[in-house]
Amino acid sequence: MPKVMLIEDDATMLSLLQTLLELEGFQVAKTDNKGSLDDLMNVLRQEKPQLVLMDVYLRGFNGFDLLRQIRQDERLKSTPVLMSSGMELAIECQQAGADGFILKPYMPEELVGKIRKTLEQQDHVSRAGES
């Protein structure tokens, strides 16, 4: 069961996402996003998620800052990251190194499909690297 790390500063959204993903068979880790970037990086290293789903705009900093740190970290740099926002930022997210973007509001099946597809692509890349 893949572990998805939720990084979202809206408590209601965080709860809804957790419920949805658990119903779909995912293991869910989450953070309240009240710490620093370093705190979040430490949580990510401890949790070792198979995928990170995070909002672009977070309390105190933006997701691009965190994404840059993830991509520079030896233990986390290959972790797939899906970003979301209420603004169309797909190109900016891709240029910053995200594996995907989903525009809010989205339908639950759209999100789950995007997560599964991203995980399948990552699995394919991992297996190709082993051969």
Side-chain angles (χ1 to χ4, degrees):
M1 151 175 12
K3 183 190 288 187
V4 176
M5 179 78 189
L6 301 176
I7 303 175
E8 168 70 59
D9 55 8
D10 180 316
T12 302
M13 185 69 161
L14 193 60
S15 179
L16 289 170
L17 288 170
Q18 180 178 7
T19 300
L20 168 67
L21 295 179
E22 287 174 348
L23 287 171
E24 291 291 331
F26 294 99
Q27 186 179 354
V28 177
K30 60 184 182 173
T31 176
D32 61 10
N33 186 40
K34 290 190 175 145
S36 66
L37 277 174
D38 288 339
D39 294 335
L40 274 174
M41 289 297 291
N42 287 331
V43 170
L44 284 165
R45 286 184 202 107
Q46 289 172 341
E47 291 290 342
K48 299 178 185 128
Q50 278 73 52
L51 182 135
V52 174
L53 174 62
M54 76 169 141
D55 197 5
V56 171
Y57 296 106
L58 299 163
R59 193 174 300 123
F61 52 88
N62 71 49
F64 294 121
D65 297 331
L66 181 57
L67 180 60
R68 274 190 284 284
Q69 288 203 14
I70 290 170
R71 292 300 180 235
Q72 292 171 1
D73 188 279
E74 280 302 313
R75 292 174 280 180
L76 298 171
K77 68 182 179 183
S78 63
T79 304
V81 176
L82 285 179
M83 298 184 79
S84 67
S85 176
M87 297 173 52
E88 178 52 71
L89 298 169
I91 293 169
E92 293 85 344
C93 289
Q94 183 181 19
Q95 289 172 341
D99 296 275
F101 174 81
I102 189 162
L103 182 64
K104 291 179 181 178
Y106 44 76
M107 296 302 293
E109 56 273 2
E110 180 185 5
L111 174 65
V112 171
K114 193 129 188 141
I115 289 171
R116 290 189 199 284
K117 182 178 178 187
T118 303
L119 288 169
E120 286 170 13
Q121 290 171 336
Q122 180 66 20
D123 187 46
H124 179 73
V125 168
S126 296
R127 278 187 296 199
E130 292 171 3
S131 49

